[in-house]
Amino acid sequence: MVTKKAGSAAKKTTRSNSQSKTNVTTVQSQAARVSVPKFNLNSNELASTFISEFVGVFVLVSAFLVTKGEPLYMGFVLVALVMMVGTLSGSHLNPLISVGAWVTRRLSHLKTAVYLIAQFLGAGAAFVLMTTYLNGVQADAAVFAQPAREVFALAPLTDQNAWFIFFAEVLGASLFAFAFASVYKASVDRVTRALTIGFGFFVAALVAGVVASYVGGQVALNPASAVAASAVDWTAVDWTAIAVYLAAPLLGGVIGFALRDAIETK
């Protein structure tokens, strides 16, 4: 009898301790839920996207102006930038990617607008900084016996080569968007994603650049970079330049994403 009573008491004690631990855990979890501040996740996400895209495009366009759009350099810059800001914004860093994702319903209207505004503002900031810096250097050029330097500008279009450059921009943008779409929200690690995007751009810029060079032209494969490189003269609207350096890469971005969707197996 004594043994049964002792066993029963031990069971009650164990049950009581278990219930006490459960109650404490429940109270702690409730307290944790109460103490967590409630933020507007949508506005925070948009702010993070805007800032990371602005900074990323600022660096990318600065590199484009410094290296004169050299494909290999730009490929490595993109690899680094995707590693830096990829987890914050998805590292579009290019209006053709944002528009391609939007048209193929990967991106909302609001978020697309945030991407595009941040990208063009980042490109503008890079142009202003480079121009200000070079103007300061030119002021002291005579002192240091240095030749005057100017911000890199894409070669002007001619009546003979404009539509060849248009084709080159569409081709290069399609190749790059196709590569980007292959890792867009895919379950791949950061390094694979960065290498795919960076070297995808390198291949696209190399192919399109060679095509353009046959007619004495250059490609940007990025409307934000093209604007910073003075491809479009806003003082006298040149519709041909707008078609070549703004419309063509956007069209290529849509083609690349759509082609990826058309051949992708579920």
Side-chain angles (χ1 to χ4, degrees):
M1 293 294 292
V2 174
T3 304
K4 289 183 179 179
K5 289 181 179 180
S8 177
K11 289 180 180 179
K12 289 181 179 179
T13 303
T14 303
R15 190 180 300 113
S16 177
N17 291 338
S18 177
Q19 290 175 347
S20 298
K21 290 180 180 179
T22 302
N23 293 336
V24 170
T25 303
T26 302
V27 171
Q28 288 177 343
S29 63
Q30 290 176 346
R33 285 199 298 269
V34 171
S35 62
V36 174
K38 294 182 179 180
F39 295 110
N40 187 334
L41 295 178
N42 289 331
S43 63
N44 282 347
E45 184 181 357
L46 291 178
S48 176
T49 296
F50 181 89
I51 294 171
S52 57
E53 283 290 306
F54 177 89
V55 173
V57 173
F58 173 83
V59 175
L60 182 68
V61 172
S62 296
F64 181 83
L65 297 176
V66 169
T67 65
K68 300 181 180 180
E70 181 63 33
L72 184 59
Y73 292 146
M74 296 307 298
F76 278 111
V77 170
L78 264 178
V79 171
L81 287 174
V82 173
M83 295 291 289
M84 290 166 58
V85 302
T87 57
L88 299 174
S89 69
S91 58
H92 288 196
L93 308 176
N94 192 326
L96 75 86
I97 297 298
S98 300
V99 170
W102 171 62
V103 172
T104 54
R105 299 183 179 181
R106 288 174 169 86
L107 207 60
S108 68
H109 303 326
L110 177 59
K111 210 164 185 182
T112 302
V114 171
Y115 273 104
L116 295 178
I117 293 171
Q119 289 159 0
F120 281 104
L121 287 179
F127 174 78
V128 170
L129 179 66
M130 292 296 297
T131 302
T132 303
Y133 175 77
L134 289 180
N135 287 342
V137 171
Q138 287 178 354
D140 297 327
V143 177
F144 296 103
Q146 294 287 335
R149 299 181 183 275
E150 296 180 353
V151 176
F152 169 68
L154 290 168
L157 298 172
T158 66
D159 294 337
Q160 289 73 34
N161 71 5
W163 296 109
F164 290 98
I165 306 301
F166 180 93
F167 168 76
E169 285 276 347
V170 172
L171 174 64
S174 299
L175 293 174
F176 178 49
F178 184 85
F180 199 108
S182 68
V183 292
Y184 193 92
K185 293 185 177 179
S187 299
V188 296
D189 59 86
R190 291 176 62 189
V191 174
T192 301
R193 176 182 173 83
L195 292 175
T196 301
I197 294 173
F199 287 106
F201 184 85
F202 164 67
V203 171
L206 182 65
V207 172
V210 170
V211 171
S213 69
Y214 290 152
V215 291
Q218 296 170 299
V219 293
L221 305 186
N222 186 329
S225 296
V227 170
S230 304
V232 179
D233 182 5
W234 299 108
T235 59
V237 179
D238 183 351
W239 293 108
T240 301
I242 291 174
V244 171
Y245 289 114
L246 300 186
L250 297 182
L251 174 61
V254 174
I255 292 173
F257 271 89
L259 181 60
R260 180 72 191 187
D261 284 349
I263 67 174
E264 186 173 12
T265 56
K266 301 297 183 182

